[in-house]
Amino acid sequence: MSHKHDSWGWMLAVDFFFAGMGGAMLVIAGIADLFLGTGMTSVLGNLLGALCIGLGACLLVLELGRPFQSWRVFMNPKAILTIGAWSMVLAMGAGIIFASFGIGSLPWSDAILARKVFAVVSVIFGLIVATYPGILLARHKSRPFWTGAGIMSLFVISSLVTGAAAHIVSQFVFDALASIVTSWQIVDASSSVVLDGLPYLTVALLVLQFILWIGYIWIKKTGTTEREANAADRWISGNYAMHFKGGFLFIGTLLPIVLILVPINLIQVFGTLLVLVGGVVMRLLVVYSGQDRTWLPGEQKYRSRLPIGDEAFLKAWK
């Protein structure tokens, strides 16, 4: 018997990264369109948001196993996975259609009301997708580092940070490719107030992220159960400490704050790429920390006696 899904692996962490970032990209683009006007974010960034959610969904299917039976996840309306799966599908569809309004060569590009409707749908389901990973983890009461509403806040803020950073990178890439796609009549967002302000928004979110993470670790260490304190110790001085402090807090949070404030495009883009690296590192650490769990009385003894799949009597039944 395989115990593969007693804990989750790197594919789920990367799914959380792409899905959360993509959802936040749709949220930012949709809010900017609704309240500040058309062409506030690049068409590439808007489209990339939906595609990132799709990539995350593919990784989730592979992580759960049996990809040809993945349709079953859509069939139980009471399950949190079903809510997440449908939200991802709706966010992807709305996001792709919303992004298409920025391509002037398409016949529906001037349909303002339709664009606003899909902007609203993108914001709603993008926010659900960005929030969903934190909700999913917080429901696992047997995983001491995950349990509680705090982990949901951390995932939401990280999704917004990476989403804002991805929009900055997308505009930089779009500017480099603009001459190639001029015949498509794509809306130019290079001088929009949103893209001009995104570096400052990203820095503000990074500062908030740093404060929230310090507070979360401190609360887990000092104000909760012994098992949660032990799980926090692994982030403070244990086997996760170097990756958390060096990889996430310094390289993925503090260093980008400095680089993004430098008024040079290449340096800002490098800073935003570090933000994305930090987002991946954070999710890997959080997912792997789920290996620490609260066992039921006698559960470990029971599991130690389960077959592992190579016993002779099991093979005889085949």
Side-chain angles (χ1 to χ4, degrees):
M1 178 178 292
S2 172
H3 306 302
K4 176 181 182 293
H5 290 109
D6 286 350
S7 60
W8 289 328
W10 66 267
M11 280 193 291
L12 188 73
V14 179
D15 156 46
F16 285 167
F17 169 74
F18 280 112
M21 179 178 69
M25 292 178 76
L26 295 182
V27 170
I28 293 170
I31 289 176
D33 188 273
L34 289 169
F35 297 102
L36 297 174
T38 307
M40 292 293 106
T41 52
S42 72
V43 174
L44 177 61
N46 300 345
L47 181 61
L48 188 62
L51 295 180
C52 284
I53 295 175
L55 178 57
C58 292
L59 290 168
L60 177 61
V61 168
L62 293 176
E63 170 65 17
L64 294 178
R66 298 184 179 181
F68 295 108
Q69 296 186 30
S70 59
W71 57 271
R72 295 178 182 272
V73 78
F74 295 95
M75 306 308 293
N76 184 1
K78 296 181 180 180
I80 186 69
L81 279 174
T82 299
I83 296 173
W86 276 112
S87 296
M88 294 174 81
V89 170
L90 293 171
M92 281 188 289
I96 291 173
I97 296 173
F98 171 68
S100 71
F101 286 101
I103 303 176
S105 59
L106 295 177
W108 58 84
S109 61
D110 293 328
I112 298 176
L113 179 60
R115 190 186 75 238
K116 297 297 184 183
V117 169
F118 282 102
V120 171
V121 177
S122 296
V123 170
I124 293 173
F125 288 102
L127 185 59
I128 293 174
V129 172
T131 309
Y132 165 75
I135 297 175
L136 179 65
L137 297 185
R139 290 166 57 89
H140 286 75
K141 297 180 180 180
S142 64
R143 316 284 173 163
F145 192 79
W146 296 350
T147 185
I151 198 71
M152 182 181 71
S153 302
L154 296 176
F155 269 86
V156 171
I157 194 69
S158 180
S159 294
L160 292 173
V161 168
T162 54
H167 268 300
I168 296 174
V169 175
S170 297
Q171 182 58 43
F172 181 81
V173 174
F174 178 78
D175 287 342
L177 300 176
S179 60
I180 302 176
V181 294
T182 51
S183 61
W184 295 2
Q185 303 175 32
I186 294 178
V187 174
D188 183 13
S190 57
S191 60
S192 78
V193 293
V194 172
L195 287 173
D196 290 342
L198 272 181
Y200 303 103
L201 174 63
T202 305
V203 167
L205 291 172
L206 284 170
V207 172
L208 180 59
Q209 175 178 260
F210 181 83
I211 294 172
L212 289 178
W213 263 104
I214 297 300
Y216 186 79
I217 296 294
W218 178 74
I219 290 172
K220 286 290 183 182
K221 174 63 179 174
T222 62
T224 53
T225 65
E226 180 181 356
R227 292 184 181 277
E228 289 176 81
N230 292 336
D233 279 335
R234 298 183 67 176
W235 290 66
I236 298 170
S237 57
N239 57 327
Y240 296 150
M242 181 179 71
H243 300 90
F244 173 59
K245 297 175 183 177
F248 175 59
L249 289 184
F250 179 70
I251 295 177
T253 304
L254 295 178
L255 184 57
I257 290 175
V258 177
L259 296 177
I260 292 173
L261 290 176
V262 177
I264 301 174
N265 285 342
L266 284 176
I267 295 179
Q268 284 186 342
V269 169
F270 180 66
T272 56
L273 290 175
L274 291 182
V275 171
L276 302 184
V277 171
V280 175
V281 171
M282 184 274 277
R283 286 161 177 79
L284 287 169
L285 290 173
V286 171
V287 169
Y288 286 142
S289 68
Q291 296 173 3
D292 298 325
R293 58 165 296 180
T294 303
W295 297 95
L296 297 173
E299 184 178 358
Q300 287 177 300
K301 183 177 180 180
Y302 165 76
R303 287 178 175 272
S304 69
R305 296 181 176 181
L306 290 175
I308 61 175
D310 57 358
E311 287 79 358
F313 76 92
L314 285 177
K315 293 180 180 180
W317 281 94
K318 294 182 179 179

